[in-house]
Amino acid sequence: MLLTKVAVAFVAAVAVLGPCETETTGLANGAVQGTWGGDNAGLIADDTSAHVHIGCTYGQIHQPIVPDAQGRFDVPGEQNITAHPVDLGVLHPARFHGRIANGRMSLTVTLTDTTVTLGPVQLAYGKEPRTGPCPICRRPGDTMQK
């Protein structure tokens, strides 16, 4: 009887708390979450949007990134490719596409109004982005990484 009560309590707790998959895969409720970093690239996502850096560019995705069963995704957004040294504020429509497997992401950004493609870049879940010499999106006190 005690074992049954413990089992019921465990199942109830899992149902309330949800899966703990974010800790290792970067996915929660099927959507990309958290910080993903790589060399000269990074992505920060929550359940409603994502912010992307590749080199000295930045972009926004205004929806969750939800990969299919094979880990592939393709979502719309916009990317600013003239952010450094002087940000001209031009946001180009773009497609953010790639694949996620085992806490790793391959990401490519394709501007849809030009022939510019950024990437593919390789990102890892939970890894701090290494933005190289580009000063955009730095926190005060950060040192430049190479």
Side-chain angles (χ1 to χ4, degrees), residues 37-42 55 127-133 138 144-146:
D39 291 333
N40 234 2
K127 182 177 177 185
E128 188 71 25
R130 294 181 51 89
T131 56
R138 291 202 180 276
M144 296 183 74
Q145 300 174 6
K146 294 183 181 182

Side-chain angles (χ1 to χ4, degrees), residues 118-131:
L118 304 170
V121 295
Q122 304 304 312
L123 306 172
Y125 175 69
K127 182 177 177 185
E128 188 71 25
R130 294 181 51 89
T131 56

Side-chain angles (χ1 to χ4, degrees), residues 74-90:
D74 184 348
V75 293
E78 65 247 353
Q79 189 79 11
N80 181 336
I81 59 171
T82 55
H84 182 73
V86 177
D87 188 346
L88 300 177
V90 178

Side-chain angles (χ1 to χ4, degrees), residues 39-86:
D39 291 333
N40 234 2
L43 179 143
I44 301 170
D46 61 26
D47 60 349
T48 63
S49 63
H51 183 74
V52 175
H53 282 277
I54 297 177
C56 287
T57 72
Y58 65 85
Q60 287 295 127
I61 299 168
H62 302 284
Q63 68 183 55
I65 301 171
V66 180
D68 67 14
Q70 287 75 43
R72 295 179 304 240
F73 62 90
D74 184 348
V75 293
E78 65 247 353
Q79 189 79 11
N80 181 336
I81 59 171
T82 55
H84 182 73
V86 177

